[in-house]
Amino acid sequence: MNVPNKVKHFAWKACRNILATKENLRRRNITKDSICEVCGKQEESTSHLFWFCDHAKEVWSSCKLSFPFEIQPSWDYMDVMWFLQKWEEARPGLLERIVMICWGIWKNRNEARHGGKQQSGQAVSRSSLRLKRAGVGVVIRDEEGQVIAVLYRKLHTQLGPLESKAKAMEVGVKFAREVGIRDVLFEGDSLVLNNAIHGLNEIDPSVQNVVR
Ligand SMILES: [Zn+2]
């Protein structure tokens, strides 16, 4: 899995404990108050923000990633990364997924501080894990199944599962036109989308979790 550069940069700052958490700002005498604004109970340290705040706990329980060890309040972010590294072989990809979710927590925390909405735990974990799959692949084959053309395009917006499939179909149609293929068959596994394209029904967002 590829971690985007902005997430790598975030992780580097978290490991060096130089993120502008309220605790770090107080230490540098920039602010006096260091209480977490989400729970109002404890200092907003890196460890509180990512692991021990009620909101962080909600994020971790909603994404159903199980940690192979128990994080201790005295640990730095770096300690957590170090332990995760040791588990990389047994639980491949876990470290990256956890870093992506931490980045989501940090992003949401900053948005909420600047007047944005505090997202639910589930919304934070979903949108941060979705970031890694923000791209569509299109493969064009001839009638014998031979690959004629391949395209991979990154998507810059975050889309839900159904919207991603619709976008992939749009990219596919445009790509076929670009390479000059007119007689073409599109395959898709979404009944909702296929019906919508054929004008059989309206897209009803409540159906998307049932029919994929
Ligand atoms: Zn808190």
Side-chain angles (χ1 to χ4, degrees):
M1 175 186 139
N2 272 334
V3 174
N5 279 340
K6 60 183 170 187
V7 179
K8 283 185 193 152
H9 187 67
F10 152 82
W12 175 79
K13 280 179 142 182
C15 285
R16 298 198 55 199
N17 198 18
I18 54 170
L19 287 175
T21 59
K22 290 184 78 181
E23 189 202 31
N24 281 342
L25 293 178
R26 186 189 50 76
R27 270 204 223 145
R28 281 146 55 186
N29 292 322
I30 297 171
T31 51
K32 282 205 175 77
D33 153 51
S34 60
I35 294 295
C36 168
E37 286 175 22
V38 180
C39 64
K41 288 180 199 162
Q42 279 179 301
E43 272 206 316
E44 192 202 49
S45 62
T46 305
S47 126
H48 175 79
L49 181 67
F50 295 118
W51 320 118
F52 295 102
C53 182
D54 294 343
H55 185 254
K57 285 180 181 161
E58 196 194 314
V59 173
W60 296 115
S61 69
S62 72
C63 70
K64 299 188 178 69
L65 284 179
S66 65
F67 283 76
F69 48 82
E70 201 178 326
I71 298 171
Q72 304 301 316
S74 61
W75 288 4
D76 288 334
Y77 196 83
M78 192 67 180
D79 295 326
V80 180
M81 294 299 113
W82 189 78
F83 277 105
L84 282 171
Q85 196 84 56
K86 291 198 1 177
W87 278 86
E88 187 54 29
E89 222 166 283
R91 304 279 303 275
L94 181 66
L95 187 148
E96 279 129 322
R97 282 203 290 276
I98 288 174
V99 169
M100 295 289 293
I101 290 173
C102 288
W103 174 80
I105 293 175
W106 180 244
K107 186 169 155 271
N108 179 234
R109 175 259 188 209
N110 291 334
E111 282 165 0
R113 277 176 68 91
H114 293 101
K117 194 171 149 249
Q118 175 79 45
Q119 306 279 350
S120 72
Q122 192 180 46
V124 170
S125 65
R126 270 197 191 167
S127 64
S128 31
L129 287 179
R130 193 178 295 147
L131 190 76
K132 70 183 161 78
R133 328 182 222 120
V136 294
V138 178
V139 178
I140 300 181
R141 296 173 188 273
D142 65 15
E143 55 270 43
E144 265 102 52
Q146 296 291 319
V147 174
I148 304 172
V150 178
L151 164 104
Y152 178 80
R153 191 161 289 167
K154 269 196 167 177
L155 300 179
H156 296 287
T157 46
Q158 292 189 2
L159 301 171
L162 184 61
E163 291 92 336
S164 302
K165 284 178 181 174
K167 189 72 197 170
M169 193 62 89
E170 186 200 320
V171 171
V173 171
K174 283 187 180 159
F175 182 49
R177 203 169 53 196
E178 274 165 34
V179 294
I181 299 169
R182 290 285 178 277
D183 185 15
V184 58
L185 182 76
F186 293 97
E187 279 184 13
D189 61 354
S190 167
L191 183 61
V192 178
L193 185 59
N194 287 348
N195 286 346
I197 289 169
H198 293 105
L200 297 177
N201 64 359
E202 298 273 304
I203 288 192
D204 174 359
S206 65
V207 193
Q208 65 166 300
N209 290 326
V210 184
V211 186
R212 286 245 170 117

